[in-house]
Amino acid sequence: MTDRILLNNDNTMPLLGFGVYKLAEGYETENAVSNAINAGYRLIDTAPVYKNEESVGRAIARSGILRENLFITSKIWNTAQRLGDVQGAFARSLDRMRLDYVDMYLIHWPVPGCYLSTWKELEEILNSRRALSIGVSNFEIRHLEELKAISGIVPAVNQIECHPLCYPKELIDYCHANGIRVQAYAPLARGAYLDNDIMCVMGVKYAKTPAQIGLRWMVQKGISVIPKSSSLEHLKTNADIFSFEIEQEDMDLIDTMNENLHTSHVPEDLRGINF
């Protein structure tokens, strides 16, 4: 299996990336991103609400890796959508990271009354080549259908929580059928399945950790994953998921673990809204 997937605009994206959610601005983020790049990660996922874009930019600058060999993702936050400040927020993200462009720019959440107009702004950013691909995050089928009704540009990615304990099959099948790649955040479920009996048995069978089994299960389904770790050892083991393949009967067994367990939460400013 290749370690990259083809997007609907003929760009490619790594199946494995590194997420920086909840990593502190400064040394923690810079060190973690540097370690991730040194461990072979080429996709770095950040967002202004994480408050660490500047640190991500510094780590990129000192990595020595050619910019075209990295895949950088950022997102537009809810407040900027409500203020109609999409272009300004995007420009500030580029400035903080000291980049001329990002590889992917996402709508972080489908803010009611805003996300359709936000998408139109993202189309302009795409046309300017300051973002090479655009997509969404936390969108359900109805949100994607509404985008389809007003735009000829299909999101390249829908980034959602996904792991063996949370597999929204209907949404994922819809995305795959419509040329939208799924990217999983919180793919390790904050550790919630690492002691699961099925995953432990699989770990013994394949001589891999439960985390590696879970990540491999997703990439084998064509889902990109962006695990986070500040541990160099875990960064390296999380990246070692392309050297083995899970048998189909074991893939099917892991499928049975789904219990719609969400380890992430809807942000406070959107609580009470049905997603």
Side-chain angles (χ1 to χ4, degrees):
M1 171 184 275
T2 178
D3 60 359
R4 298 184 74 89
I5 49 176
L6 184 67
L7 303 177
N8 59 25
N9 58 4
D10 292 332
N11 291 330
T12 63
M13 178 178 73
L15 269 168
L16 174 69
F18 181 66
V20 299
Y21 177 57
K22 287 194 173 179
L23 289 179
E25 170 72 12
Y27 175 79
E28 184 178 34
T29 295
E30 287 183 50
N31 186 60
V33 173
S34 294
N35 284 340
I37 291 174
N38 290 336
Y41 292 75
R42 292 296 179 263
L43 188 162
I44 307 298
D45 179 275
T46 186
V49 75
Y50 303 164
K51 301 188 184 303
N52 54 22
E53 286 179 311
E54 290 183 355
S55 298
V56 169
R58 286 192 291 270
I60 291 170
R62 75 183 191 199
S63 71
I65 303 296
L66 292 175
R67 173 66 185 89
E68 57 264 34
N69 293 332
L70 294 172
F71 192 104
I72 309 302
T73 296
S74 193
K75 312 174 187 77
I76 179 74
W77 184 242
N78 305 343
T79 307
Q81 290 192 64
R82 292 192 181 97
L83 293 174
D85 188 29
V86 178
Q87 298 286 344
F90 176 75
R92 289 190 293 275
S93 284
L94 287 185
D95 287 346
R96 283 190 288 266
M97 292 186 285
R98 300 180 185 178
L99 298 178
D100 296 324
Y101 69 94
V102 293
D103 298 270
M104 181 74 68
Y105 197 56
L106 306 177
I107 299 178
H108 208 147
W109 286 89
V111 176
C114 298
Y115 60 87
L116 296 180
S117 59
T118 298
W119 185 252
K120 288 298 184 181
E121 296 284 350
L122 262 62
E123 289 182 353
E124 293 185 12
I125 291 170
L126 177 68
N127 289 335
S128 75
R129 300 296 293 168
R130 292 175 298 155
L132 302 187
S133 300
I134 55 175
V136 297
S137 181
N138 300 298
F139 273 49
E140 299 291 345
I141 292 174
R142 64 183 179 88
H143 304 123
L144 296 168
E145 282 288 296
E146 289 172 1
L147 280 190
K148 184 192 291 187
I150 61 106
S151 175
I153 298 178
V154 178
V157 160
N158 186 15
Q159 189 184 102
I160 59 173
E161 179 170 359
C162 181
H163 45 75
L165 301 178
C166 180
Y167 190 81
K169 186 176 187 303
E170 185 179 4
L171 172 59
I172 291 170
D173 287 350
Y174 173 92
C175 289
H176 288 168
N178 286 273
I180 303 168
R181 289 295 190 177
V182 175
Q183 187 170 63
Y185 68 77
L188 300 177
R190 317 284 196 253
Y193 64 79
L194 301 186
D195 293 327
N196 180 280
D197 289 345
I198 290 175
M199 301 305 277
C200 291
V201 169
M202 296 287 180
V204 171
K205 176 175 180 177
Y206 293 96
K208 296 293 180 181
T209 67
Q212 289 171 316
I213 297 295
L215 295 174
R216 177 66 197 186
W217 174 77
M218 282 176 277
V219 301
Q220 214 164 296
K221 289 175 176 286
I223 296 172
S224 173
V225 293
I226 48 172
K228 178 194 76 175
S229 177
S230 55
S231 161
L232 180 58
E233 180 184 354
H234 289 162
L235 280 169
K236 290 179 177 178
T237 57
N238 289 346
D240 184 19
I241 56 173
F242 298 102
S243 60
F244 73 107
E245 185 169 342
I246 300 173
E247 296 173 5
Q248 188 56 52
E249 63 180 3
D250 292 333
M251 292 287 290
D252 295 341
L253 181 58
I254 297 171
D255 286 351
T256 68
M257 291 171 53
N258 179 39
E259 56 186 63
N260 298 314
L261 174 71
H262 287 269
T263 62
S264 60
H265 303 285
V266 175
E268 190 170 335
D269 65 334
L270 291 179
R271 287 189 188 157
I273 295 171
N274 179 23
F275 283 97

